[in-house]
């Protein structure tokens, strides 16, 4: 805190009032500096110094593509501090309801289209190895440490087979676009001027065309009717100008969703068990619901759905 205050003292904002805004799932913290009706945000990455350079790099890529990412107004890379444009406190999650979600999601989908035009060169690849690295978090942290299961060889083989099929379908779809990786309602801000502001993108990769769409429409923190979500997914395909049959695109979308939600079961469990962030446990039931409902609809994953249902419900 002393180092952060010393950094602020060297900026034009040294006389502004400092208050805490939030901490996220990582070890970053956010503060607000305010003077009258003017404000900026201080990002404290002092406990995650290695995330700062990627954040600065990806910010530049997004802004160059026309995405509403926060401008960097000051920085101290050595100690891990940035001063950022303030998008306010209204998350998309705060605003979503049954009467407006189609409009708000449509606006956010437009932002995905712009993100996908951002330079993705030299970003880490969302390849088969990494897809499986993420999904394996479920076996270790959700099944093993959260549910305390000891898997039989047969169960391990069943899981392995399902995850192989999931990654195969994920990799069938167009690749090598910019992927935010966490484009959900808590990382999308509605700015005071009603623009869609994008944050928390430092882990961006180059990957599948449906990843950010799934993060948005099959959000781990809020749910809307399956039929409406499919309608929005196909609208995204049309905006993209992709010549793909409904059934094929929805399968890509669903299998990408399974990959993400299987990963998240592991991540939310790890956040609770390892990091003491127990608030994420309450979000596991929705993530599990998405996983079971989707897996049970496809031959490739039906047996996996039955297994997962037998050990969780």
């Amino acid at each position: 805190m002393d180092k952060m205050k010393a950094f602020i003292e060297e900026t034009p904002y040294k006389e502004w009032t400092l208050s805490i805004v939030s901490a996220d799932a990582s070890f970053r913290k956010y503060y607000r500096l305010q003077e009258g009706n003017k404000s900026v945000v201080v990002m404290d990455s002092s406990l995650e110094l290695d995330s700062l350079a990627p954040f600065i790099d990806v910010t530049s890529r997004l802004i160059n593509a026309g995405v509403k990412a926060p401008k960097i107004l000051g920085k101290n890379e050595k100690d891990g501090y940035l001063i950022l444009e303030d998008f306010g406190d209204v998350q998309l999650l705060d605003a979503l309801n049954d009467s407006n979600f189609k409009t708000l999601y449509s606006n956010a989908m437009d932002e995905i289209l712009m993100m996908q035009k951002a330079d993705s060169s030299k970003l880490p690849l969302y390849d088969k190895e990494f897809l499986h690295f993420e999904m394996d978090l479920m076996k270790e942290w959700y099944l093993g440490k959260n549910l305390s299961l000891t898997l039989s060889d047969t169960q391990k083989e069943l899981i392995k087979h399902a995850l192989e099929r999931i990654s195969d379908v994920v990799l069938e779809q167009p690749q090598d676009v910019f992927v935010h990786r966490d484009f959900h309602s808590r990382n999308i801000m509605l700015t005071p001027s009603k623009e869609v502001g994008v944050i928390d993108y430092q882990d961006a990769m180059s990957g599948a065309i449906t990843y950010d769409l799934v993060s948005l429409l099959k959000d781990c923190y809020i749910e809307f009717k399956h039929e409406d979500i499919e309608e929005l997914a196909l609208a995204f395909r049309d905006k993209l100008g992709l010549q793909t049959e409904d059934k094929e695109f929805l399968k890509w979308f669903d299998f990408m969703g399974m990959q993400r939600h299987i990963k998240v079961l592991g991540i939310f469990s790890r956040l609770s068990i390892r990091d003491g962030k127990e608030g994420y446990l309450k979000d596991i039931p929705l993530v599990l619901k998405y996983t079971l409902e989707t897996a049970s609809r496809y031959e490739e994953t039906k047996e996996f759905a039955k297994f997962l249902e037998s050990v969780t419900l």
Side-chain angles (χ1 to χ4, degrees), residues 27 36 45 97 120 159 259:
F27 293 101
S45 296
N97 59 50
S120 63
I159 294 169
Q259 191 278 339

Side-chain angles (χ1 to χ4, degrees), residues 161-268:
H161 175 79
L163 302 191
E164 282 289 338
R165 298 291 73 76
I166 289 169
S167 64
D168 285 345
V169 174
V170 166
L171 293 169
E172 282 175 9
Q173 60 191 278
Q175 305 289 314
D176 302 328
V177 298
F178 180 99
V179 175
H180 178 294
R181 288 186 68 208
D182 237 359
F183 192 69
H184 58 70
S185 60
R186 289 181 176 172
N187 283 338
I188 301 168
M189 308 301 294
L190 297 182
T191 72
S193 56
K194 306 305 180 189
E195 293 177 284
V196 175
V198 182
I199 61 172
D200 206 20
Y201 41 69
Q202 63 283 334
D203 296 323
M205 297 180 75
S206 175
I209 207 157
T210 59
Y211 192 98
D212 287 337
L213 183 67
V214 160
S215 303
L216 175 71
L217 299 183
K218 290 191 175 184
D219 193 314
C220 298
Y221 308 110
I222 190 169
E223 179 188 24
F224 294 98
K225 287 181 182 176
H226 172 71
E227 297 79 10
D228 291 326
I229 294 306
E230 285 197 340
E231 178 188 316
L232 284 162
L234 292 173
F236 178 83
R237 175 205 58 187
D238 296 342
K239 287 184 176 193
L240 198 59
L242 201 60
Q243 300 300 310
T244 308
E245 294 295 325
D246 292 4
K247 185 177 179 181
E248 182 178 35
F249 187 80
L250 290 174
K251 185 172 184 178
W252 291 348
F253 177 74
D254 281 341
F255 275 66
M256 189 75 261
M258 279 192 279
Q259 191 278 339
R260 176 170 169 78
H261 293 130
I262 286 167
K263 169 190 78 169
V264 170
L265 288 172
I267 287 178
F268 283 0

Side-chain angles (χ1 to χ4, degrees), residues 147-169:
L147 300 184
S148 302
L149 288 181
T150 300
L151 298 172
S152 68
D153 288 344
T154 302
Q155 290 170 332
K156 289 176 183 175
E157 192 58 35
L158 184 153
I159 294 169
K160 180 182 177 183
H161 175 79
L163 302 191
E164 282 289 338
R165 298 291 73 76
I166 289 169
S167 64
D168 285 345
V169 174

